[in-house]
Amino acid sequence: MLAAARHSAIVAEVQRERIVRVTDLAKLLGVSLMTVRRDIEALDAAGTLEKIHGGAKLPGGAGTHEPGFDLKLTQLPEEKMAIAHEAAAQVREGMAVGLSAGTTTWALAHLLSAGPRITVVTNSVRIADVFYQGASPSTVILTGGERTPSDALVGPLATSSLKQLHLDVLFLGVHGIDSVAGFTTPNVLEAETDRAFVAAARRVVVLADHTKWGTLGISTIADLEDADELISDDGLGGEARRILGERVGRLLLAGNGTATSAAAG
């Protein structure tokens, strides 16, 4: 198993169990204890998890660490693409579509670039490049702003440009989901820009794989109730499904070529 695949599996297991042991990870991955320890050290250095004696746990507190775009691309690519397919099915020709920065929205951009002619508004250089390089018939509006480690354009220029626009739907990527704090990000300026995205949209669809549940960034983008829909994957735990099913407009779980939904209570 390649290092990127091991890292993705370790992060998923830590997100699921909150605390994991090196011995359990070695059995799960079929590799040596030394290999797992090296992987944990690399992920700890990246701020993705926290190394503890004999294992690893989720980073504590409200995080400000922002992993780079390329590192996040290695995490749960199949789940992200399944989520992207469900989101793409909601887009029709002529729509004004917002795509916030993120690796799941980037996966969605690849699908939309081959789809009907739409107008795309994004604060992601990476997402804009997907449409440009694919010679898409769609119109792409890229906000200005200051570039973050995750390749989002944020700050006053990005926020002011979004305040002038009106979107049919926003597909919003988030860093974390918390039952109290809502949808969060580790970057304060990005939170402000994403809030401007939310305010500009008639409909807000959050795209977030199951590892985002229980992750807390320093700044809240929106409350859970602000999401008209949340598309996640079938790795989402039972308690998370219950809470989100009651509080978001609609919870849709993608996986294995199928999708299930849970209506809010």
Side-chain angles (χ1 to χ4, degrees):
M1 182 182 289
L2 296 176
R6 292 198 310 272
H7 290 183
S8 180
I10 290 170
V11 170
E13 191 68 11
V14 172
Q15 291 282 2
R16 223 177 351 255
E17 301 294 336
R18 296 299 186 258
I19 297 177
V20 296
R21 297 187 300 174
V22 169
T23 52
D24 292 335
L25 289 172
K27 291 177 182 177
L28 176 67
L29 301 174
V31 297
S32 69
L33 297 177
M34 183 60 68
T35 296
V36 172
R37 290 191 183 100
R38 285 198 299 264
D39 288 340
I40 288 175
E41 288 175 358
L43 291 167
D44 177 81
T48 307
L49 52 74
E50 185 175 332
K51 178 183 175 183
I52 60 174
H53 180 70
K57 71 179 187 70
L58 286 175
T64 58
H65 176 77
E66 190 172 2
F69 189 91
D70 291 327
L71 174 61
K72 291 194 287 186
L73 273 180
T74 68
Q75 300 168 358
L76 304 181
E78 293 181 1
E79 287 83 349
K80 291 175 180 178
M81 185 54 69
I83 292 168
H85 274 285
E86 295 301 327
Q90 302 183 21
V91 176
R92 301 289 181 267
E93 185 166 355
M95 293 180 88
V97 177
L99 295 176
S100 76
T103 51
T104 309
T105 48
W106 179 81
L108 173 57
H110 280 271
L111 300 177
L112 296 182
S113 66
R117 184 189 299 269
I118 57 176
T119 297
V120 175
V121 178
T122 185
N123 67 324
S124 167
V125 175
R126 299 259 190 159
I127 287 175
D129 281 345
V130 169
F131 288 91
Y132 296 146
Q133 293 173 7
S136 170
S138 296
T139 299
V140 179
I141 299 172
L142 178 64
T143 71
E146 177 184 345
R147 197 166 184 167
T148 72
S150 60
D151 284 343
L153 297 177
V154 300
L157 287 176
T159 301
S160 63
S161 64
L162 290 169
K163 287 181 178 179
Q164 303 175 53
L165 302 175
H166 306 283
L167 305 172
D168 293 305
V169 61
L170 165 67
F171 293 105
L172 176 68
V174 299
H175 173 78
I177 308 174
D178 182 80
S179 60
V180 176
F183 302 108
T184 67
T185 175
N187 188 300
V188 174
L189 288 177
E190 186 165 9
E192 182 181 3
T193 301
D194 284 345
R195 285 193 290 269
F197 255 128
V198 171
R202 294 176 56 192
R203 187 163 178 269
V204 177
V205 180
V206 176
L207 309 183
D209 66 71
H210 70 273
T211 64
K212 304 301 176 65
W213 175 257
T215 298
L216 183 65
I218 193 172
S219 188
T220 293
I221 300 167
D223 294 331
L224 297 182
E225 290 81 3
D226 292 328
D228 295 291
E229 182 171 71
L230 168 62
I231 307 179
S232 188
D233 62 85
D234 55 10
L236 194 67
E239 182 67 5
R241 295 187 189 199
R242 182 189 66 79
I243 293 172
L244 293 169
E246 291 175 352
R247 297 182 58 187
V248 301
R250 180 180 182 234
L251 174 61
L252 184 65
L253 303 177
N256 299 318
T258 63
T260 59
S261 61

